[in-house]
Amino acid sequence: MTILQQIRRATLTRWRPPPRRTVAEWAEASRYLSAEASAEPGRWRNSRAPHLVKIMECLSPLDPCEAVVGMLSSQIGKTECVLNFVGYIIDEDPGPILAIQPNVTPMGEAFSKDRIVPMLRDSPSLREKCGDPKARDSGQTITHKQFPGGHLTIAGANSPAGLASRPIRYFLGDEIDRWEVTKEGSALSLARKRLLTYRAVGRSKELLVSSPTLAGFGIHAEYAACNEQWELHLRCPDCGATQRPQLRHFLWPSGDPGAVSYVCAACGVAHPAAQEARIKARAEWVRVKECAAHDRRRVGFWANQWASPFTSWADTVREFIDAGKDAGKLQAVVNTAFAEPWEDEAEKADGGALLARRESYSASALPDDILLLSAGVDVQDDRLECEIVGWRAASADEPPESWGVEYHVLPGDPAQPGVWAELDLLLSETWRTESRRELRVQMACVDSGGHHTQQVYAWCAKRTGRHIYAIKGGAGKRPIWPGAGKKRNLRGVSGTVYTLGVDAAKDAIYSRLKIDRPGPGFSHWPVADCYGPAYFAGLTCEQVRTRKVRGFDVREYFKPSGARNEPLDCRVYALAALCSRKINWQSLARAAERWLNAVAEERPPDALAPERPPDPAPQPQPPEARPERASSFFGPRKSFWRR
């Protein structure tokens, strides 16, 4: 091709009128579903997913809107909508595309390998334009695909620095509620800046899709800001009325989700599951927020799993039943199945109510239900605060039931060895249950984020065999236990520090404080001086707020001025210590049961040789004198040491 021909092609491409086909029409004619990426491989049919047609029409260049926001549940086809839009761009209206996933590895690479590459391979019109991705000279990589007139770049929200200085025409954001805000800024705000060049001439498009998490945050905030909003409603076959499908519209016999029926709020008729396909086929988009035609810049869509043709009502009911009263599992169902933001009442825990429900057990005779002890240690400038917590769970999938054992305030300068010797003795103590079964602290976390990091590193480094870890808190979307620590060296003292997901731990603790019946997740405390009003005020003092950070909504816990939150920190660290190891709860339960049987039969317990708890901590040599401890925060009280 001569230079003149290249110039002529570039000129014609620039002044070419926009295509007349919509994204939905292109998908019907040219998109093929791959066997490894779809349960129904073959040609795409809009009749199989009619609810996606309107969304794809708004993504077409003839529609004047600049941004499309989808607050959608799982199993609704939102990823297929993104893929159809990508295929349409490559085939009909090429330009530079930026697709952002929560991270490049593994989510971005999986999106490319499992979804993009099969679509490019199996759709003839796309294969012709993109070529063989395995060819050495194809110019295709996992995160960068080239095609005539544009390219597709897949980036991660956790590393937005690479987004700078890259003009784009199309911006695709997937699962934005899982994005992190980094020191470089939010990927959402940076990506929008890259659109400005094309937006100035009216040629840009933005697509954001995600399941919601919290009210006023992420996709829920983006949806609320849309000038025009649409909801996917179900139409009653009897009276013709439409309604937004919600949990309260579905009834089922106890223990039989398969017999679920859908109730129309307008006429009261209950439609059995046999009519499900017919009702879903008549689902339609209802506009719930309208704007002037000239102001139609951002269009939002809401749809949940109740109206999805890809899942059944019975499956959704089973998800809800399986979640039970576990706030974490229930939130996942509310977010991903119902497409509703989670209103977390657990963030409003009542310390007075917790104080009133204390129980009549003591640290010298713990309940036999306790199988394991962990500890959390908070380091202050003039003291150490430590809580010993007991745990029990039926399995690793069940939220553990917890018992407060003792809360200690150890006065002393952490820069001196005395207070650390006292802590060492405390963590080596032996507690006994009502049946005289012995328990010891199996794991502990010690805060290293204050002014005594060097002392914490040095003390914990000598006790890794007892599973005592130096930790620091990390805000944001992190797991409670990171899985791996990082080597640190501070003024010649080296240690391994683990960065905890304190927000996730506080979410778990606050949600469990609302459980009002003993069982999975329930929290117990004894009637004891150390568990008084001051303790519960500190445990429940923090609140959740959402604020703007570099233009992005960030949810965070904050402590009111003057409040003392050491009890909450200690409980967070004790929970993280429990998460640091894989616990064989069944083995511990069997050992406890054999012990109780031996006590019931009046046999010597030592002859039983019960299963040994994992890695019991060695006993250090006690000091010559055991000092009495007085609390600097909870007021004077007698020592809890047992001789």
Side-chain angles (χ1 to χ4, degrees), residues 215-278:
F217 177 81
I219 196 69
H220 185 260
E222 295 295 328
Y223 176 76
C226 290
N227 306 88
E228 184 174 292
Q229 295 176 353
W230 296 79
E231 293 180 352
L232 187 61
H233 287 202
L234 295 180
R235 181 176 292 279
C236 175
D238 284 38
C239 69
T242 66
Q243 65 185 6
R244 170 177 175 157
Q246 295 176 291
L247 179 64
R248 58 189 175 89
H249 297 136
F250 294 86
L251 302 175
W252 61 91
S254 178
D256 188 11
V260 62
S261 59
Y262 170 64
V263 180
C264 174
C267 65
V269 175
H271 304 285
Q275 299 184 27
E276 179 177 355
R278 176 189 172 197

Side-chain angles (χ1 to χ4, degrees), residues 24-36:
E25 291 170 344
W26 174 88
E28 183 87 25
S30 304
R31 170 80 193 281
Y32 283 81
L33 299 173
S34 306
E36 65 264 45

Side-chain angles (χ1 to χ4, degrees), residues 310-327:
F310 306 124
T311 186
S312 68
W313 294 338
D315 288 339
T316 304
V317 170
R318 290 188 185 96
E319 287 185 51
F320 175 72
I321 294 174
D322 291 343
K325 293 187 177 181
D326 183 346

Side-chain angles (χ1 to χ4, degrees), residues 168-466:
I168 57 173
R169 182 181 176 186
Y170 302 102
F171 165 43
L172 315 177
D174 193 12
E175 295 296 346
I176 69 169
D177 275 43
R178 300 174 65 181
W179 292 7
E180 297 180 21
V181 177
T182 67
K183 61 183 179 181
E184 294 93 352
S186 75
L188 187 58
S189 60
L190 290 176
R192 283 175 170 162
K193 290 181 180 179
R194 308 281 74 79
L195 287 169
L196 294 178
T197 303
Y198 284 92
R199 181 162 289 171
V201 294
R203 299 182 64 204
S204 69
K205 283 284 185 180
E206 174 184 329
L207 173 61
L208 302 177
V209 294
S210 180
S211 300
T213 51
L214 301 171
F217 177 81
I219 196 69
H220 185 260
E222 295 295 328
Y223 176 76
C226 290
N227 306 88
E228 184 174 292
Q229 295 176 353
W230 296 79
E231 293 180 352
L232 187 61
H233 287 202
L234 295 180
R235 181 176 292 279
C236 175
D238 284 38
C239 69
T242 66
Q243 65 185 6
R244 170 177 175 157
Q246 295 176 291
L247 179 64
R248 58 189 175 89
H249 297 136
F250 294 86
L251 302 175
W252 61 91
S254 178
D256 188 11
V260 62
S261 59
Y262 170 64
V263 180
C264 174
C267 65
V269 175
H271 304 285
Q275 299 184 27
E276 179 177 355
R278 176 189 172 197
I279 293 174
K280 288 182 175 180
R282 300 182 64 192
E284 65 178 74
W285 290 103
V286 175
R287 182 159 48 192
V288 295
K289 182 179 180 181
E290 191 172 359
C291 65
H294 67 276
D295 197 34
R296 191 172 176 272
R297 302 185 316 275
R298 301 177 63 82
V299 180
F301 294 89
W302 174 92
N304 67 9
Q305 200 165 292
W306 296 117
S308 171
F310 306 124
T311 186
S312 68
W313 294 338
D315 288 339
T316 304
V317 170
R318 290 188 185 96
E319 287 185 51
F320 175 72
I321 294 174
D322 291 343
K325 293 187 177 181
D326 183 346
K329 294 180 180 179
L330 189 59
Q331 179 180 354
V333 174
V334 171
N335 292 157
T336 62
F338 303 162
E340 300 283 359
W342 176 254
E343 299 288 348
D344 196 352
E345 295 182 358
E347 298 166 359
K348 306 172 185 176
D350 183 359
L354 299 176
L355 176 67
R357 78 178 196 197
R358 293 181 301 171
E359 303 169 21
S360 58
Y361 68 87
S362 67
S364 59
L366 296 174
D368 281 313
D369 288 336
I370 298 177
L371 299 179
L372 187 68
L373 300 182
S374 71
V377 182
D378 187 50
V379 180
Q380 299 293 321
D381 289 340
D382 60 349
R383 67 191 184 279
L384 304 179
E385 300 201 15
C386 174
E387 184 177 22
I388 312 297
V389 184
W391 307 93
R392 180 189 185 92
S395 66
D397 298 328
E398 179 181 276
E401 195 170 359
S402 66
W403 286 262
V405 175
E406 288 185 344
Y407 192 95
H408 290 273
V409 177
L410 311 180
D413 183 2
Q416 304 300 321
V419 69
W420 293 104
E422 193 171 359
L423 176 64
D424 192 38
L425 188 60
L426 172 62
L427 297 183
S428 303
E429 277 280 335
T430 298
W431 282 263
R432 294 182 183 274
T433 66
E434 294 173 343
S435 64
R436 309 303 294 169
R437 176 165 51 89
E438 294 185 354
L439 294 170
R440 293 184 181 180
V441 172
Q442 298 298 319
M443 63 283 288
C445 287
V446 184
D447 176 31
S448 67
H451 298 154
H452 302 282
T453 305
Q454 187 176 13
Q455 286 76 16
V456 174
Y457 284 177
W459 192 79
C460 292
K462 298 177 181 179
R463 292 161 178 82
T464 55
R466 293 164 56 185

Side-chain angles (χ1 to χ4, degrees), residues 530-611:
C530 60
Y531 289 112
Y535 169 86
F536 291 103
L539 181 68
T540 61
C541 70
E542 294 199 6
Q543 303 173 19
V544 175
R545 65 182 177 188
T546 302
R547 64 186 181 94
K548 292 284 186 180
V549 176
R550 301 184 182 94
F552 198 75
D553 288 331
V554 176
R555 176 179 177 271
E556 64 180 7
Y557 281 88
F558 76 99
K559 180 181 66 172
S561 177
R564 303 295 294 271
N565 66 342
E566 288 87 350
L568 177 58
D569 287 343
C570 288
R571 182 56 69 107
V572 165
Y573 304 153
L575 175 60
L578 182 72
C579 296
S580 68
R581 302 181 60 198
K582 186 175 181 180
I583 308 299
N584 189 338
W585 293 107
Q586 292 82 0
S587 175
L588 294 177
R590 288 194 298 269
E593 184 178 1
R594 291 205 310 273
W595 181 275
L596 289 174
N597 291 338
V599 172
E601 296 172 4
E602 298 182 351
R603 286 191 294 166
D606 292 339
L608 254 168
E611 292 187 21

